[in-house]
Amino acid sequence: MDITIRPIEPAEYAALGEITAEAYLGDGLLDYGADDPYLVQLRDVPRRAEEAEVLVATDARGRVLGGVTYAPPGNRWADIATPDEAEFRMLAVSREARGAGAGEALVRACIDRARATAGVTGIVLSTQPAMRGAHRIYGRLGFVRTPERDWYPIEGLSLLTYRLEFPAVS
């Protein structure tokens, strides 16, 4: 599949919001199902695009396959990043496009952005234990588990953390 990664356009906000919400709902990742308050944040792509960088994966016809929110160092969308780290969140790919490389392409785009930022020593993320497909992507790309940074944003929700360290430039 021919996949392009680029910044989201306003006309695509609703589509990505629904892809993201459906990915979390369809995979059973929300404790309260369709009533989960996190769905509001997952669907609020306009806010994310205003406050961070939202990237989309599109096919050859321009159809949105998925997206991710990239938070550079110091960005309010970063949950666990230190001042010298970037972070990405809300990686989601439509059910129809899974397995075609869109998720990995989105993660690689985040890595490229972080590496191109002066002073950034790595990129981090949080993930749910059930997100095994994403864990495989992270492992293939060199991310390592950082259990000392695992956290609980709400009672009963355990988030695992991963980090990709960038080699020091001499």
Side-chain angles (χ1 to χ4, degrees):
M1 178 181 286
D2 186 23
I3 297 171
T4 300
I5 305 299
R6 60 170 172 72
I8 194 166
E9 297 174 3
E12 299 164 330
Y13 291 170
L16 181 59
E18 286 311 306
I19 287 170
T20 308
E22 180 51 41
Y24 279 70
L25 277 171
D27 290 347
L29 301 172
L30 300 173
D31 288 342
Y32 303 107
D35 295 325
D36 198 296
Y38 193 49
L39 275 173
V40 173
Q41 194 170 14
L42 293 172
R43 286 187 171 116
D44 194 356
V45 177
R47 179 173 170 221
R48 285 188 271 145
E50 181 179 317
E51 298 174 353
E53 185 175 2
V54 177
L55 303 173
V56 290
T58 60
D59 65 13
R61 297 183 328 215
R63 184 177 55 126
V64 175
L65 305 173
V68 66
T69 299
Y70 172 77
N75 186 273
R76 66 176 303 193
W77 282 88
D79 284 325
I80 64 165
T82 62
D84 65 341
E85 295 173 327
E87 185 169 342
F88 66 89
R89 302 181 51 191
M90 299 179 190
L91 174 66
V93 175
S94 70
R95 191 156 304 285
E96 305 80 39
R98 290 188 182 179
E104 184 168 329
L106 286 161
V107 173
R108 286 182 183 278
C110 291
I111 293 169
D112 291 346
R113 279 164 171 69
R115 282 183 198 235
T117 304
V120 172
T121 63
I123 186 167
V124 295
L125 65 104
S126 299
T127 182
Q128 291 186 32
M131 296 177 169
R132 290 182 185 89
H135 301 170
R136 285 189 294 276
I137 292 171
Y138 308 144
R140 271 196 312 271
L141 296 177
F143 284 83
V144 296
R145 278 276 293 120
T146 52
E148 69 279 5
R149 293 171 83 168
D150 291 355
W151 61 295
Y152 301 85
I154 59 172
E155 186 176 333
L157 176 61
S158 169
L159 292 181
L160 309 177
T161 61
Y162 285 77
R163 183 175 197 273
L164 176 64
E165 187 166 342
F166 301 148
V169 178
S170 48

PDB file of all heavy atoms in Angstrom, residues 61-90:
ATOM      1  N   ARG A  61      -5.245   7.503  -2.681  1.00  0.00           N
ATOM      2  CA  ARG A  61      -6.425   8.319  -3.012  1.00  0.00           C
ATOM      3  C   ARG A  61      -6.628   9.479  -2.051  1.00  0.00           C
ATOM      4  O   ARG A  61      -7.580  10.233  -2.185  1.00  0.00           O
ATOM      5  CB  ARG A  61      -7.681   7.444  -3.018  1.00  0.00           C
ATOM      6  CG  ARG A  61      -7.646   6.354  -4.074  1.00  0.00           C
ATOM      7  CD  ARG A  61      -8.927   5.562  -4.101  1.00  0.00           C
ATOM      8  NE  ARG A  61      -9.527   5.462  -2.780  1.00  0.00           N
ATOM      9  CZ  ARG A  61     -10.194   4.420  -2.316  1.00  0.00           C
ATOM     10  NH1 ARG A  61     -10.373   3.377  -3.068  1.00  0.00           N
ATOM     11  NH2 ARG A  61     -10.704   4.417  -1.102  1.00  0.00           N
ATOM     12  N   GLY A  62      -5.736   9.590  -1.047  1.00  0.00           N
ATOM     13  CA  GLY A  62      -5.858  10.662  -0.067  1.00  0.00           C
ATOM     14  C   GLY A  62      -6.755  10.325   1.108  1.00  0.00           C
ATOM     15  O   GLY A  62      -7.029  11.173   1.950  1.00  0.00           O
ATOM     16  N   ARG A  63      -7.213   9.088   1.199  1.00  0.00           N
ATOM     17  CA  ARG A  63      -8.087   8.656   2.290  1.00  0.00           C
ATOM     18  C   ARG A  63      -7.270   8.511   3.576  1.00  0.00           C
ATOM     19  O   ARG A  63      -6.181   7.927   3.572  1.00  0.00           O
ATOM     20  CB  ARG A  63      -8.734   7.321   1.921  1.00  0.00           C
ATOM     21  CG  ARG A  63      -9.739   6.812   2.917  1.00  0.00           C
ATOM     22  CD  ARG A  63     -10.367   5.537   2.399  1.00  0.00           C
ATOM     23  NE  ARG A  63      -9.333   4.560   2.072  1.00  0.00           N
ATOM     24  CZ  ARG A  63      -9.281   3.335   2.543  1.00  0.00           C
ATOM     25  NH1 ARG A  63     -10.226   2.880   3.324  1.00  0.00           N
ATOM     26  NH2 ARG A  63      -8.304   2.523   2.192  1.00  0.00           N
ATOM     27  N   VAL A  64      -7.780   9.044   4.685  1.00  0.00           N
ATOM     28  CA  VAL A  64      -7.098   8.959   5.978  1.00  0.00           C
ATOM     29  C   VAL A  64      -7.176   7.530   6.496  1.00  0.00           C
ATOM     30  O   VAL A  64      -8.259   6.958   6.628  1.00  0.00           O
ATOM     31  CB  VAL A  64      -7.715   9.943   7.000  1.00  0.00           C
ATOM     32  CG1 VAL A  64      -7.083   9.757   8.373  1.00  0.00           C
ATOM     33  CG2 VAL A  64      -7.544  11.383   6.530  1.00  0.00           C
ATOM     34  N   LEU A  65      -5.998   6.971   6.791  1.00  0.00           N
ATOM     35  CA  LEU A  65      -5.889   5.611   7.307  1.00  0.00           C
ATOM     36  C   LEU A  65      -5.689   5.594   8.817  1.00  0.00           C
ATOM     37  O   LEU A  65      -6.019   4.614   9.482  1.00  0.00           O
ATOM     38  CB  LEU A  65      -4.701   4.891   6.660  1.00  0.00           C
ATOM     39  CG  LEU A  65      -4.669   4.851   5.136  1.00  0.00           C
ATOM     40  CD1 LEU A  65      -3.360   4.261   4.654  1.00  0.00           C
ATOM     41  CD2 LEU A  65      -5.863   4.071   4.613  1.00  0.00           C
ATOM     42  N   GLY A  66      -5.123   6.665   9.345  1.00  0.00           N
ATOM     43  CA  GLY A  66      -4.842   6.741  10.772  1.00  0.00           C
ATOM     44  C   GLY A  66      -4.092   8.013  11.094  1.00  0.00           C
ATOM     45  O   GLY A  66      -3.857   8.847  10.214  1.00  0.00           O
ATOM     46  N   GLY A  67      -3.719   8.148  12.360  1.00  0.00           N
ATOM     47  CA  GLY A  67      -3.012   9.354  12.763  1.00  0.00           C
ATOM     48  C   GLY A  67      -2.349   9.200  14.113  1.00  0.00           C
ATOM     49  O   GLY A  67      -2.488   8.177  14.795  1.00  0.00           O
ATOM     50  N   VAL A  68      -1.633  10.245  14.503  1.00  0.00           N
ATOM     51  CA  VAL A  68      -0.914  10.275  15.766  1.00  0.00           C
ATOM     52  C   VAL A  68      -0.729  11.735  16.179  1.00  0.00           C
ATOM     53  O   VAL A  68      -0.679  12.626  15.336  1.00  0.00           O
ATOM     54  CB  VAL A  68       0.463   9.569  15.627  1.00  0.00           C
ATOM     55  CG1 VAL A  68       1.395  10.320  14.686  1.00  0.00           C
ATOM     56  CG2 VAL A  68       1.115   9.319  16.974  1.00  0.00           C
ATOM     57  N   THR A  69      -0.640  11.953  17.481  1.00  0.00           N
ATOM     58  CA  THR A  69      -0.343  13.282  18.018  1.00  0.00           C
ATOM     59  C   THR A  69       1.107  13.292  18.479  1.00  0.00           C
ATOM     60  O   THR A  69       1.505  12.481  19.323  1.00  0.00           O
ATOM     61  CB  THR A  69      -1.288  13.621  19.186  1.00  0.00           C
ATOM     62  OG1 THR A  69      -2.631  13.608  18.701  1.00  0.00           O
ATOM     63  CG2 THR A  69      -0.970  14.992  19.768  1.00  0.00           C
ATOM     64  N   TYR A  70       1.896  14.204  17.913  1.00  0.00           N
ATOM     65  CA  TYR A  70       3.308  14.351  18.243  1.00  0.00           C
ATOM     66  C   TYR A  70       3.469  15.576  19.136  1.00  0.00           C
ATOM     67  O   TYR A  70       3.005  16.668  18.804  1.00  0.00           O
ATOM     68  CB  TYR A  70       4.139  14.507  16.969  1.00  0.00           C
ATOM     69  CG  TYR A  70       5.578  14.855  17.250  1.00  0.00           C
ATOM     70  CD1 TYR A  70       6.474  13.877  17.680  1.00  0.00           C
ATOM     71  CD2 TYR A  70       6.043  16.150  17.109  1.00  0.00           C
ATOM     72  CE1 TYR A  70       7.790  14.183  17.955  1.00  0.00           C
ATOM     73  CE2 TYR A  70       7.365  16.472  17.367  1.00  0.00           C
ATOM     74  CZ  TYR A  70       8.226  15.490  17.798  1.00  0.00           C
ATOM     75  OH  TYR A  70       9.534  15.800  18.077  1.00  0.00           O
ATOM     76  N   ALA A  71       4.128  15.382  20.277  1.00  0.00           N
ATOM     77  CA  ALA A  71       4.368  16.471  21.228  1.00  0.00           C
ATOM     78  C   ALA A  71       5.874  16.705  21.348  1.00  0.00           C
ATOM     79  O   ALA A  71       6.592  15.867  21.899  1.00  0.00           O
ATOM     80  CB  ALA A  71       3.788  16.117  22.590  1.00  0.00           C
ATOM     81  N   PRO A  72       6.358  17.826  20.837  1.00  0.00           N
ATOM     82  CA  PRO A  72       7.780  18.135  20.994  1.00  0.00           C
ATOM     83  C   PRO A  72       8.093  18.440  22.457  1.00  0.00           C
ATOM     84  O   PRO A  72       7.176  18.605  23.271  1.00  0.00           O
ATOM     85  CB  PRO A  72       7.967  19.369  20.111  1.00  0.00           C
ATOM     86  CG  PRO A  72       6.627  19.995  20.019  1.00  0.00           C
ATOM     87  CD  PRO A  72       5.625  18.890  20.143  1.00  0.00           C
ATOM     88  N   PRO A  73       9.359  18.524  22.819  1.00  0.00           N
ATOM     89  CA  PRO A  73       9.714  18.816  24.209  1.00  0.00           C
ATOM     90  C   PRO A  73       8.985  20.058  24.732  1.00  0.00           C
ATOM     91  O   PRO A  73       8.870  21.067  24.041  1.00  0.00           O
ATOM     92  CB  PRO A  73      11.227  19.051  24.158  1.00  0.00           C
ATOM     93  CG  PRO A  73      11.672  18.245  22.980  1.00  0.00           C
ATOM     94  CD  PRO A  73      10.548  18.363  21.982  1.00  0.00           C
ATOM     95  N   GLY A  74       8.459  19.926  25.948  1.00  0.00           N
ATOM     96  CA  GLY A  74       7.781  21.048  26.590  1.00  0.00           C
ATOM     97  C   GLY A  74       6.344  21.240  26.178  1.00  0.00           C
ATOM     98  O   GLY A  74       5.662  22.127  26.701  1.00  0.00           O
ATOM     99  N   ASN A  75       5.834  20.435  25.274  1.00  0.00           N
ATOM    100  CA  ASN A  75       4.462  20.588  24.800  1.00  0.00           C
ATOM    101  C   ASN A  75       3.474  20.083  25.847  1.00  0.00           C
ATOM    102  O   ASN A  75       3.718  19.086  26.523  1.00  0.00           O
ATOM    103  CB  ASN A  75       4.296  19.814  23.488  1.00  0.00           C
ATOM    104  CG  ASN A  75       2.947  20.035  22.856  1.00  0.00           C
ATOM    105  OD1 ASN A  75       1.995  19.332  23.172  1.00  0.00           O
ATOM    106  ND2 ASN A  75       2.860  20.999  21.963  1.00  0.00           N
ATOM    107  N   ARG A  76       2.340  20.753  25.957  1.00  0.00           N
ATOM    108  CA  ARG A  76       1.343  20.388  26.965  1.00  0.00           C
ATOM    109  C   ARG A  76       0.734  19.009  26.741  1.00  0.00           C
ATOM    110  O   ARG A  76       0.124  18.450  27.644  1.00  0.00           O
ATOM    111  CB  ARG A  76       0.263  21.448  27.037  1.00  0.00           C
ATOM    112  CG  ARG A  76      -0.576  21.548  25.769  1.00  0.00           C
ATOM    113  CD  ARG A  76      -1.673  22.540  25.924  1.00  0.00           C
ATOM    114  NE  ARG A  76      -2.454  22.101  27.083  1.00  0.00           N
ATOM    115  CZ  ARG A  76      -3.625  22.569  27.396  1.00  0.00           C
ATOM    116  NH1 ARG A  76      -4.173  23.492  26.683  1.00  0.00           N
ATOM    117  NH2 ARG A  76      -4.272  22.110  28.437  1.00  0.00           N
ATOM    118  N   TRP A  77       0.862  18.438  25.538  1.00  0.00           N
ATOM    119  CA  TRP A  77       0.311  17.111  25.266  1.00  0.00           C
ATOM    120  C   TRP A  77       1.239  15.987  25.706  1.00  0.00           C
ATOM    121  O   TRP A  77       0.876  14.813  25.648  1.00  0.00           O
ATOM    122  CB  TRP A  77      -0.047  16.984  23.782  1.00  0.00           C
ATOM    123  CG  TRP A  77      -1.335  17.690  23.526  1.00  0.00           C
ATOM    124  CD1 TRP A  77      -1.491  19.015  23.207  1.00  0.00           C
ATOM    125  CD2 TRP A  77      -2.639  17.137  23.625  1.00  0.00           C
ATOM    126  NE1 TRP A  77      -2.829  19.304  23.106  1.00  0.00           N
ATOM    127  CE2 TRP A  77      -3.558  18.171  23.349  1.00  0.00           C
ATOM    128  CE3 TRP A  77      -3.133  15.880  23.921  1.00  0.00           C
ATOM    129  CZ2 TRP A  77      -4.930  17.977  23.356  1.00  0.00           C
ATOM    130  CZ3 TRP A  77      -4.497  15.678  23.926  1.00  0.00           C
ATOM    131  CH2 TRP A  77      -5.377  16.720  23.644  1.00  0.00           C
ATOM    132  N   ALA A  78       2.415  16.326  26.167  1.00  0.00           N
ATOM    133  CA  ALA A  78       3.342  15.312  26.669  1.00  0.00           C
ATOM    134  C   ALA A  78       2.953  14.952  28.100  1.00  0.00           C
ATOM    135  O   ALA A  78       2.786  15.829  28.944  1.00  0.00           O
ATOM    136  CB  ALA A  78       4.766  15.832  26.612  1.00  0.00           C
ATOM    137  N   ASP A  79       2.798  13.659  28.342  1.00  0.00           N
ATOM    138  CA  ASP A  79       2.445  13.186  29.679  1.00  0.00           C
ATOM    139  C   ASP A  79       3.662  12.810  30.508  1.00  0.00           C
ATOM    140  O   ASP A  79       3.698  13.053  31.706  1.00  0.00           O
ATOM    141  CB  ASP A  79       1.541  11.945  29.584  1.00  0.00           C
ATOM    142  CG  ASP A  79       0.122  12.268  29.196  1.00  0.00           C
ATOM    143  OD1 ASP A  79      -0.390  13.324  29.599  1.00  0.00           O
ATOM    144  OD2 ASP A  79      -0.478  11.440  28.486  1.00  0.00           O
ATOM    145  N   ILE A  80       4.643  12.168  29.887  1.00  0.00           N
ATOM    146  CA  ILE A  80       5.765  11.609  30.656  1.00  0.00           C
ATOM    147  C   ILE A  80       7.127  12.116  30.203  1.00  0.00           C
ATOM    148  O   ILE A  80       8.138  11.803  30.835  1.00  0.00           O
ATOM    149  CB  ILE A  80       5.747  10.070  30.614  1.00  0.00           C
ATOM    150  CG1 ILE A  80       5.948   9.563  29.184  1.00  0.00           C
ATOM    151  CG2 ILE A  80       4.479   9.516  31.250  1.00  0.00           C
ATOM    152  CD1 ILE A  80       6.291   8.087  29.089  1.00  0.00           C
ATOM    153  N   ALA A  81       7.188  12.870  29.130  1.00  0.00           N
ATOM    154  CA  ALA A  81       8.476  13.319  28.583  1.00  0.00           C
ATOM    155  C   ALA A  81       9.184  14.280  29.520  1.00  0.00           C
ATOM    156  O   ALA A  81       8.557  15.140  30.151  1.00  0.00           O
ATOM    157  CB  ALA A  81       8.267  13.988  27.230  1.00  0.00           C
ATOM    158  N   THR A  82      10.486  14.123  29.593  1.00  0.00           N
ATOM    159  CA  THR A  82      11.334  15.068  30.310  1.00  0.00           C
ATOM    160  C   THR A  82      11.643  16.219  29.349  1.00  0.00           C
ATOM    161  O   THR A  82      11.330  16.133  28.157  1.00  0.00           O
ATOM    162  CB  THR A  82      12.629  14.379  30.783  1.00  0.00           C
ATOM    163  OG1 THR A  82      13.345  13.922  29.636  1.00  0.00           O
ATOM    164  CG2 THR A  82      12.329  13.215  31.732  1.00  0.00           C
ATOM    165  N   PRO A  83      12.287  17.283  29.815  1.00  0.00           N
ATOM    166  CA  PRO A  83      12.556  18.424  28.922  1.00  0.00           C
ATOM    167  C   PRO A  83      13.390  18.104  27.680  1.00  0.00           C
ATOM    168  O   PRO A  83      13.360  18.861  26.709  1.00  0.00           O
ATOM    169  CB  PRO A  83      13.295  19.422  29.831  1.00  0.00           C
ATOM    170  CG  PRO A  83      12.786  19.107  31.204  1.00  0.00           C
ATOM    171  CD  PRO A  83      12.617  17.603  31.214  1.00  0.00           C
ATOM    172  N   ASP A  84      14.128  16.997  27.691  1.00  0.00           N
ATOM    173  CA  ASP A  84      14.944  16.648  26.523  1.00  0.00           C
ATOM    174  C   ASP A  84      14.342  15.493  25.715  1.00  0.00           C
ATOM    175  O   ASP A  84      15.038  14.869  24.923  1.00  0.00           O
ATOM    176  CB  ASP A  84      16.374  16.338  26.932  1.00  0.00           C
ATOM    177  CG  ASP A  84      16.494  15.099  27.807  1.00  0.00           C
ATOM    178  OD1 ASP A  84      15.466  14.673  28.402  1.00  0.00           O
ATOM    179  OD2 ASP A  84      17.602  14.551  27.908  1.00  0.00           O
ATOM    180  N   GLU A  85      13.054  15.245  25.893  1.00  0.00           N
ATOM    181  CA  GLU A  85      12.382  14.161  25.169  1.00  0.00           C
ATOM    182  C   GLU A  85      11.149  14.671  24.430  1.00  0.00           C
ATOM    183  O   GLU A  85      10.470  15.580  24.897  1.00  0.00           O
ATOM    184  CB  GLU A  85      11.913  13.064  26.135  1.00  0.00           C
ATOM    185  CG  GLU A  85      13.025  12.331  26.828  1.00  0.00           C
ATOM    186  CD  GLU A  85      12.506  11.378  27.886  1.00  0.00           C
ATOM    187  OE1 GLU A  85      11.471  11.664  28.527  1.00  0.00           O
ATOM    188  OE2 GLU A  85      13.147  10.332  28.080  1.00  0.00           O
ATOM    189  N   ALA A  86      10.864  14.039  23.315  1.00  0.00           N
ATOM    190  CA  ALA A  86       9.594  14.237  22.617  1.00  0.00           C
ATOM    191  C   ALA A  86       8.692  13.068  23.014  1.00  0.00           C
ATOM    192  O   ALA A  86       9.149  12.092  23.617  1.00  0.00           O
ATOM    193  CB  ALA A  86       9.814  14.256  21.112  1.00  0.00           C
ATOM    194  N   GLU A  87       7.424  13.180  22.675  1.00  0.00           N
ATOM    195  CA  GLU A  87       6.467  12.127  23.021  1.00  0.00           C
ATOM    196  C   GLU A  87       5.420  12.037  21.924  1.00  0.00           C
ATOM    197  O   GLU A  87       5.130  13.022  21.251  1.00  0.00           O
ATOM    198  CB  GLU A  87       5.802  12.465  24.359  1.00  0.00           C
ATOM    199  CG  GLU A  87       4.873  11.414  24.897  1.00  0.00           C
ATOM    200  CD  GLU A  87       4.449  11.677  26.341  1.00  0.00           C
ATOM    201  OE1 GLU A  87       5.120  12.476  27.050  1.00  0.00           O
ATOM    202  OE2 GLU A  87       3.435  11.089  26.761  1.00  0.00           O
ATOM    203  N   PHE A  88       4.841  10.864  21.743  1.00  0.00           N
ATOM    204  CA  PHE A  88       3.684  10.769  20.868  1.00  0.00           C
ATOM    205  C   PHE A  88       2.571  10.020  21.569  1.00  0.00           C
ATOM    206  O   PHE A  88       2.815   9.227  22.480  1.00  0.00           O
ATOM    207  CB  PHE A  88       4.017  10.173  19.496  1.00  0.00           C
ATOM    208  CG  PHE A  88       4.447   8.734  19.484  1.00  0.00           C
ATOM    209  CD1 PHE A  88       3.516   7.714  19.362  1.00  0.00           C
ATOM    210  CD2 PHE A  88       5.781   8.405  19.544  1.00  0.00           C
ATOM    211  CE1 PHE A  88       3.910   6.388  19.322  1.00  0.00           C
ATOM    212  CE2 PHE A  88       6.191   7.079  19.500  1.00  0.00           C
ATOM    213  CZ  PHE A  88       5.250   6.068  19.398  1.00  0.00           C
ATOM    214  N   ARG A  89       1.348  10.334  21.142  1.00  0.00           N
ATOM    215  CA  ARG A  89       0.147   9.807  21.788  1.00  0.00           C
ATOM    216  C   ARG A  89      -0.929   9.526  20.754  1.00  0.00           C
ATOM    217  O   ARG A  89      -0.893  10.036  19.657  1.00  0.00           O
ATOM    218  CB  ARG A  89      -0.431  10.851  22.750  1.00  0.00           C
ATOM    219  CG  ARG A  89       0.499  11.309  23.823  1.00  0.00           C
ATOM    220  CD  ARG A  89      -0.153  12.298  24.734  1.00  0.00           C
ATOM    221  NE  ARG A  89      -1.448  11.801  25.217  1.00  0.00           N
ATOM    222  CZ  ARG A  89      -2.328  12.547  25.862  1.00  0.00           C
ATOM    223  NH1 ARG A  89      -2.084  13.810  26.092  1.00  0.00           N
ATOM    224  NH2 ARG A  89      -3.465  12.036  26.268  1.00  0.00           N
ATOM    225  N   MET A  90      -1.904   8.765  21.187  1.00  0.00           N
ATOM    226  CA  MET A  90      -3.126   8.528  20.406  1.00  0.00           C
ATOM    227  C   MET A  90      -2.845   8.001  19.007  1.00  0.00           C
ATOM    228  O   MET A  90      -3.503   8.385  18.043  1.00  0.00           O
ATOM    229  CB  MET A  90      -3.983   9.788  20.359  1.00  0.00           C
ATOM    230  CG  MET A  90      -4.435  10.259  21.715  1.00  0.00           C
ATOM    231  SD  MET A  90      -5.405  11.753  21.581  1.00  0.00           S
ATOM    232  CE  MET A  90      -5.534  12.208  23.288  1.00  0.00           C
TER     233      MET A  90
END
